[in-house]
Amino acid sequence: MSFYSLPFITLYIDPGTGGMLFSILFGIFGSLMLFARSLIVKLKFRIGAGKTDKVMGEAIPIVIFSDHKRYWNVFEPICDKLDKKGIRTVYYTMSEDDPALEKKYENITCEFIGEGNKAFAKMNVVGAVIVLSTTPSLDVFQWKRSKRCKYYIHVPHQPNDITLYRMFGIDFYDSLLLSGDYQKDQIRKLEQLRNEPEKEIEIVGLPYMDVMKARVDSVKGTMQAKPADAKKTVLLAPSWGKSGVLSVYGEKMIDALIATGYDIIIRPHPQSFTSEKEMIDRLMKKYGEGSGVTWNRDNDNFDVLMKSDIMISDFSGVIFDFSLVYDKPVIYTEARIDKAPYDASWIDDELWTNKILPHIGRELKDSDLDNIKSVIDECISSDKYADGRDRARRETWSHPGEGAQRTADYIADKYKELTTKADSSEEAEASA
């Protein structure tokens, strides 16, 4: 019998049944593929990225994230100390011209990671043992906690109320490095009100103010005393938002200052150029060259603070830099802070900023604008606020001169603690 004469059995499957079977088969195949893909991703994560990312073939123990170059003054003294500890660190910045990119370190690599959502997208999946940042609103808006990071540490960029962040601004950090006990009290009250677990808090001081103070002392030693009859320089340094001095007073304040005949410098908050661009553009156009006003946007505020005899501000943190570091008088506008958007709205206590300001400077009333020159002269010549400045330093500037070292020590100890725990867990799993 030849092959061609062999009988064949023919199977018939109706179109409906066939379609159903193919759907089932494709479904099973698709599920298996998804399971395999998920398994591969999980294995890669556990093997290569469970607690670190890979950059240039090396793990990242510590990532520092800065959303603007203006915070380099906060991070530089910390980086200087961390570099000496020999712990591999990567500094990610959202500013293409961040001074950090020019700094040469042995153990720290600095990298521009783009702006806006591009940068946050990277941070949302970055792998590290520790992330250190000044940026608030972690896990609130577009910046999310990465599942590949073990621990998030927040360091403030100014020495006043920790509750003056937008609501829930620091709730999802693991620890906070603060400068005063009153800030710790504020955090504990928030945690109790929100029924949150206590974050780890370390009082380390103010690294950037320590560096600024040393810089001021070194320059003062080489400067000649300013003659008593020299033309005075007045610095207007507002915060941003509807409670800021420019938003409240605008042209009325600027015109009054110009009428004094003094040199007037206006240094808006950097956020004003984004959030209040229309107002700033209008004022800069109106008070341009020849108006008696100089606009300052220097990334480093050292020179402008050094040359100014007095500062007029509102609730901006720079008022404490000027008063406590440069030891100069301040004038602050009437407190008109709308606490509603801030964590401070949860706490009935008066803001520390509002309580301490009368001890370090003169409050400017609306009626004072017509007599602003006399108010400025009185504040510059008076020594009545010296004791108040000492009090403010005691309350908000713990461990003067030691901030950067204490911060670096805390980070290094925390890194050792976290990696020791991880190693112990891996050994326990291996022996099980």
Side-chain angles (χ1 to χ4, degrees), residues 347-410:
I347 301 175
D348 293 333
D349 297 350
E350 185 180 4
L351 289 168
W352 178 84
T353 296
N354 291 346
K355 289 189 291 186
I356 200 66
L357 281 176
H359 297 278
I360 65 173
R362 160 80 181 266
E363 181 181 1
L364 182 71
K365 303 290 186 180
D366 292 351
S367 58
D368 288 331
L369 287 183
D370 295 333
N371 194 37
I372 189 64
K373 186 176 186 297
S374 296
V375 174
I376 289 171
D377 291 344
E378 186 272 331
C379 285
I380 291 176
S381 61
S382 176
D383 58 0
K384 64 183 291 186
Y385 301 110
D387 290 342
R389 291 196 291 267
D390 287 339
R391 171 184 167 180
R393 291 185 189 101
R394 290 193 301 270
E395 293 180 4
T396 199
W397 192 354
S398 299
H399 312 298
E402 303 175 13
Q405 189 62 58
R406 285 176 175 270
T407 300
D409 288 345
Y410 175 84

Side-chain angles (χ1 to χ4, degrees), residues 65-114:
F65 172 52
S66 175
D67 63 63
H68 198 280
K69 63 183 180 181
R70 65 179 176 268
Y71 300 124
W72 179 234
N73 71 323
V74 175
F75 289 120
E76 184 177 21
I78 299 171
C79 286
D80 290 347
K81 297 296 184 181
L82 280 177
D83 187 56
K84 293 178 180 179
K85 289 182 173 292
I87 303 175
R88 176 73 172 159
T89 302
V90 176
Y91 182 96
Y92 287 141
T93 176
M94 289 173 62
S95 294
E96 194 169 9
D97 56 346
D98 195 316
L101 299 170
E102 303 298 322
K103 192 75 180 276
K104 304 300 181 184
Y105 286 113
E106 184 176 348
N107 299 294
I108 299 177
T109 302
C110 301
E111 179 183 340
F112 170 60
I113 59 171

Side-chain angles (χ1 to χ4, degrees), residues 216-402:
V216 168
D217 290 345
S218 66
V219 171
K220 278 184 176 179
T222 62
M223 288 179 59
Q224 292 184 344
K226 194 172 183 177
D229 59 349
K231 192 175 183 180
K232 296 179 177 63
T233 299
V234 180
L235 175 62
L236 180 61
S239 186
W240 67 280
K242 63 182 181 180
S243 299
V245 63
L246 279 183
S247 297
V248 174
Y249 292 103
E251 288 95 332
K252 188 178 180 181
M253 170 68 78
I254 298 174
D255 289 341
L257 292 176
I258 292 173
T260 64
Y262 295 148
D263 289 331
I264 308 302
I265 302 174
I266 304 178
R267 181 181 169 85
H269 191 284
Q271 187 63 34
S272 292
F273 293 97
T274 300
S275 301
E276 303 171 314
K277 187 176 187 304
E278 183 178 346
M279 178 188 71
I280 295 297
D281 287 347
R282 174 174 55 81
L283 292 176
M284 291 184 72
K285 182 178 180 180
K286 180 175 181 179
Y287 300 99
E289 187 174 354
S291 67
V293 171
T294 300
W295 294 84
N296 181 272
R297 295 189 66 179
D298 294 345
N299 186 57
D300 183 354
N301 63 7
F302 180 83
D303 289 337
V304 71
L305 296 183
M306 200 72 198
K307 72 187 294 185
S308 300
D309 295 294
I310 192 168
M311 173 186 286
I312 300 176
S313 188
D314 34 58
F315 58 93
S316 174
V318 73
I319 205 168
F320 297 105
D321 295 351
F322 190 77
S323 178
L324 308 187
V325 177
Y326 292 80
D327 205 32
K328 296 179 181 180
V330 297
I331 297 173
Y332 61 94
T333 56
E334 184 179 357
R336 304 184 184 189
I337 302 174
D338 177 11
K339 298 200 307 184
Y342 305 105
D343 278 329
S345 64
W346 285 67
I347 301 175
D348 293 333
D349 297 350
E350 185 180 4
L351 289 168
W352 178 84
T353 296
N354 291 346
K355 289 189 291 186
I356 200 66
L357 281 176
H359 297 278
I360 65 173
R362 160 80 181 266
E363 181 181 1
L364 182 71
K365 303 290 186 180
D366 292 351
S367 58
D368 288 331
L369 287 183
D370 295 333
N371 194 37
I372 189 64
K373 186 176 186 297
S374 296
V375 174
I376 289 171
D377 291 344
E378 186 272 331
C379 285
I380 291 176
S381 61
S382 176
D383 58 0
K384 64 183 291 186
Y385 301 110
D387 290 342
R389 291 196 291 267
D390 287 339
R391 171 184 167 180
R393 291 185 189 101
R394 290 193 301 270
E395 293 180 4
T396 199
W397 192 354
S398 299
H399 312 298
E402 303 175 13

Side-chain angles (χ1 to χ4, degrees), residues 109-228:
T109 302
C110 301
E111 179 183 340
F112 170 60
I113 59 171
E115 301 174 349
N117 288 333
K118 180 180 179 181
F120 288 120
K122 181 176 181 65
M123 292 305 301
N124 290 349
V125 297
V126 71
V129 178
I130 290 174
V131 172
L132 174 74
S133 183
T134 63
T135 307
S137 299
L138 172 65
D139 237 21
V140 177
F141 296 117
Q142 67 266 50
W143 182 27
K144 306 298 182 183
R145 283 182 65 112
S146 170
K147 294 180 180 179
R148 301 170 60 201
C149 291
K150 284 186 172 294
Y151 204 78
Y152 284 81
I153 301 174
H154 178 77
V155 53
H157 62 268
Q158 56 187 23
N160 57 348
D161 299 83
I162 196 68
T163 55
L164 284 177
Y165 284 119
R166 296 281 169 168
M167 203 172 294
F168 310 112
I170 50 178
D171 279 33
F172 300 102
Y173 277 93
D174 297 298
S175 68
L176 309 173
L177 304 183
L178 305 181
S179 64
D181 288 329
Y182 74 94
Q183 295 169 332
K184 182 177 180 178
D185 293 340
Q186 290 174 341
I187 293 299
R188 293 297 183 236
K189 288 181 180 179
L190 280 177
E191 290 168 341
Q192 291 173 8
L193 288 168
R194 294 172 179 170
N195 196 28
E196 295 175 344
E198 288 191 353
K199 285 176 278 292
E200 189 169 310
I201 293 176
E202 188 80 4
I203 307 297
V204 297
L206 292 161
Y208 84 92
M209 284 182 66
D210 292 339
V211 172
M212 191 183 293
K213 179 65 165 59
R215 192 176 175 188
V216 168
D217 290 345
S218 66
V219 171
K220 278 184 176 179
T222 62
M223 288 179 59
Q224 292 184 344
K226 194 172 183 177

